[in-house]
Amino acid sequence: MRVAIAGAGAVGRSIARELIMNGHDILLIDKNPDSIKPERVPDAEWLLADSCEMSSLEEARLDQCDVVIAATGDDKANLVTSLLAKTEFGVPRTVGRVNHPNNEWLFTEAWGVDVNVSTPRIMSALVEEAVTVGDLVRLFTFRQGNANLVEMTLPADSPYVGKPAGLIPFPENCALVTILRDGQVYVPDAEQPVEAGDELLFVVSSDIEDNLERILAPSGHGG
């Protein structure tokens, strides 16, 4: 998969390294010459250009990209990049970084953003995650599917502690995608048991989040 990342700062470079490790072809774009440091991500392509300009995106061959990630520190630039990528180059998938919470409402399909990632929201969610057990924590929203990525730390008194994931009666429109335990990532197949303290990540329809929470932690937690 070919992925273009607008913004070669710390966030953009971290995303690039992760995607390269997963076998993807990465192009990093930044208009600031001081940010062009190919030695930091040597396996990526680099382009000194303004991602808000059509000529720059043509030079980047955005029409050949499967995904564009707008990861600059400027929300206006991220919106314009996403809009141009979607409307002018037909990029199938766009991801927009939200730097300021007040701007989050703008990062929608109307601006060409398929998925918005709010840095402040994720940070606050991680803080909340650290102090709550048995409560769902929403990490971000998938705009096209009316679904959310949510996390729950399984409480010790859950009725499904020690039982295989396949025996848990998850509601419809809910998928367990990852189990995190002791620093390890486990594939949640039907035979994989869940344990107290596991971090469970789900993709779930927003209207059944409460049902999922009641199934896994019926006695209620957090607050």
Side-chain angles (χ1 to χ4, degrees):
M1 188 167 65
R2 179 172 171 81
V3 181
I5 302 173
V11 172
R13 294 195 304 270
S14 295
I15 296 170
R17 292 188 194 101
E18 188 75 19
L19 291 175
I20 288 170
M21 288 177 59
N22 290 331
H24 301 297
D25 297 324
I26 305 300
L27 169 65
L28 280 161
I29 307 169
D30 206 294
K31 66 180 181 179
N32 183 357
D34 293 335
S35 295
I36 303 297
K37 298 177 179 179
E39 69 278 2
R40 295 194 175 184
V41 192
D43 293 326
E45 296 179 53
W46 290 74
L47 178 64
L48 176 61
D50 187 344
S51 64
C52 294
E53 295 183 359
M54 281 288 294
S55 58
S56 298
L57 299 181
E58 289 171 356
E59 184 180 356
R61 306 190 313 279
L62 232 63
D63 58 328
Q64 299 178 22
C65 289
D66 302 291
V67 179
V68 167
I69 301 172
T72 78
D74 183 338
D75 284 346
K76 296 188 295 295
N78 291 342
L79 283 172
V80 171
T81 299
S82 298
L83 184 63
L84 291 176
K86 181 64 70 174
T87 61
E88 300 298 326
F89 295 90
V91 175
R93 195 73 167 161
T94 59
V95 180
R97 174 190 176 190
V98 185
N99 295 279
H100 300 289
N102 290 343
N103 296 331
E104 190 172 352
W105 66 276
L106 287 166
F107 283 72
T108 65
E109 291 179 29
W111 275 94
V113 180
D114 293 318
V115 177
N116 74 60
V117 179
S118 172
T119 305
R121 173 175 288 185
I122 288 177
M123 290 180 68
S124 63
L126 291 174
V127 170
E128 185 178 355
E129 173 193 332
V131 297
T132 58
V133 173
D135 287 345
L136 285 184
V137 179
R138 184 180 296 180
L139 300 180
F140 65 84
T141 298
F142 299 98
R143 292 287 182 184
Q144 287 187 325
N146 189 34
N148 302 312
L149 179 68
V150 301
E151 182 271 351
M152 172 186 277
T153 300
L154 194 68
D157 60 352
S158 170
Y160 298 102
V161 169
K163 296 183 179 180
L167 294 182
I168 303 175
F170 295 124
E172 292 186 11
N173 297 322
C174 171
L176 174 62
V177 294
T178 304
I179 299 172
L180 305 178
R181 181 188 304 146
D182 298 328
Q184 301 295 316
V185 177
Y186 294 89
V187 178
D189 59 45
E191 302 301 320
Q192 176 66 50
V194 295
E195 303 293 347
D198 282 357
E199 292 182 53
L200 308 178
L201 271 67
F202 300 88
V203 175
V204 60
S205 176
S206 57
D207 57 355
I208 61 168
E209 288 181 3
D210 289 345
N211 293 346
L212 176 61
E213 190 168 358
R214 281 193 292 269
I215 289 169
L216 293 174
S219 62
H221 293 80

